[in-house]
Amino acid sequence: MKIKEAVKLGNRGEIEYILEKLLDKDKIFFHLNPEYEFDETKFLGILALRQKQYPLEYIFNEAWFYGEKFYIKEGVLVPRDDTEPLIDIAIKELKDYVNLNKSLNIAEIGMGSGIISITLSKYIKANYIATDINPLALEVTNKNMQLHNAKIKLYHTNLLDNIDESIDIIISNPPYVEEEWEYEALKYEPKEALFAKDNGTYLLKEIVKEGIKRKVKMIICEMGYHQKEIMTKFFKETGIKDFYFYQDLSGNDRGFVVKLQN
């Protein structure tokens, strides 16, 4: 197959990315050599997987987040751009705490591939711990820690169960998709990392309760764009007065910040 034929078989950007990985060539080469021929066997196999909506990130075991490359594998949630505003908000909120606290302890609940803690550690100096109920998450995060020279204590546990360390900040991108949803594009990703009870807000509420119990200073969470009303009601019922919601790049409500102590 020729390059000029291949790029017509799908989204050009994605096709060129696949060809870069398979042929070890760059986009400039493709533009300058449209007649270049290659064995299309693996290429067509990948296209067949993509037609079934199998994530490209799983095929090549890599994902990009906040301008950095991370390792990923099937069984762990694929990082998404929607989570990048969580990092922006965390950096904005925590930089003052770093100045006031010589030793800041940050806990991530539901680490997945470790992208949140690892990325945040590049900008905010703190002691990091991260938890997940999925053993594969610890495996993938360990690899990403090595790739990015990050130091994070990892725990295979639910929420912050059996962790005795003092925690100042909780940060999380927990499962928040409603259980009733049938989202075709997510069918290859781990359901336990996606779906939650109570209109998707069950774990969001549990994380806030955990933060109250542990008397943390702040909780920063990603959520679904339609969950603002439910969470606002929950905050008020729980007696939380200092909170706000942040938006993603599309202007949708994407998460919240709860401040429990100054």
Side-chain angles (χ1 to χ4, degrees), residues 9-20:
L9 297 179
N11 175 275
R12 187 180 182 100
E14 182 171 306
I15 295 294
E16 288 182 344
Y17 171 77
I18 295 170
L19 292 175
E20 282 183 62

Side-chain angles (χ1 to χ4, degrees), residues 38-176:
F38 65 96
D39 183 340
E40 69 272 24
T41 306
K42 289 184 178 179
F43 174 71
L44 293 178
I46 291 172
L47 289 192
L49 287 173
R50 291 297 292 138
Q51 287 176 352
K52 297 177 182 178
Q53 296 187 305
Y54 188 77
L56 195 61
E57 292 85 354
Y58 289 161
I59 294 172
F60 292 111
N61 297 117
E62 69 175 31
W64 287 85
F65 180 78
Y66 220 74
E68 300 280 353
K69 185 167 70 173
F70 290 85
Y71 172 77
I72 193 70
K73 67 183 290 186
E74 185 172 353
V76 176
L77 193 69
V78 173
R80 287 173 169 79
D81 293 345
D82 284 344
T83 303
E84 293 189 357
L86 179 69
I87 301 296
D88 295 333
I89 291 294
I91 293 172
K92 177 183 175 182
E93 288 288 350
L94 298 181
K95 61 182 180 181
D96 290 335
Y97 277 107
V98 173
N99 295 331
L100 296 172
N101 297 271
K102 293 182 179 179
S103 181
L104 188 67
N105 299 320
I106 299 175
E108 179 186 1
I109 293 176
M111 73 185 83
S113 54
I115 58 166
I116 292 175
S117 290
I118 292 171
T119 301
L120 195 58
S121 70
K122 296 175 186 285
Y123 300 90
I124 300 295
K125 184 179 180 181
N127 303 311
Y128 288 85
I129 71 171
T131 73
D132 208 296
I133 59 172
N134 180 3
L136 275 178
L138 278 74
E139 175 192 323
V140 171
T141 297
N142 258 313
K143 289 195 175 186
N144 281 323
M145 286 167 56
Q146 294 170 22
L147 284 173
H148 293 270
N149 194 29
K151 293 183 179 179
I152 302 166
K153 288 185 181 179
L154 308 184
Y155 293 90
H156 180 210
T157 189
N158 179 55
L159 297 177
L160 298 173
D161 292 352
N162 303 314
I163 294 176
D164 297 327
E165 298 182 48
S166 174
I167 296 169
D168 300 304
I169 309 293
I170 292 176
I171 190 165
S172 182
N173 174 22
Y176 57 75

Side-chain angles (χ1 to χ4, degrees), residues 188-217:
Y188 294 104
E189 298 186 61
K191 289 181 173 57
E192 66 273 13
L194 290 164
F195 299 100
K197 301 180 291 184
D198 196 10
N199 295 310
T201 64
Y202 175 76
L203 282 168
L204 293 170
K205 294 174 181 177
E206 290 299 302
I207 289 168
V208 173
K209 291 175 185 177
E210 185 77 18
I212 293 171
K213 181 178 73 174
R214 288 179 172 269
K215 299 181 179 179
V216 304
K217 295 178 175 67

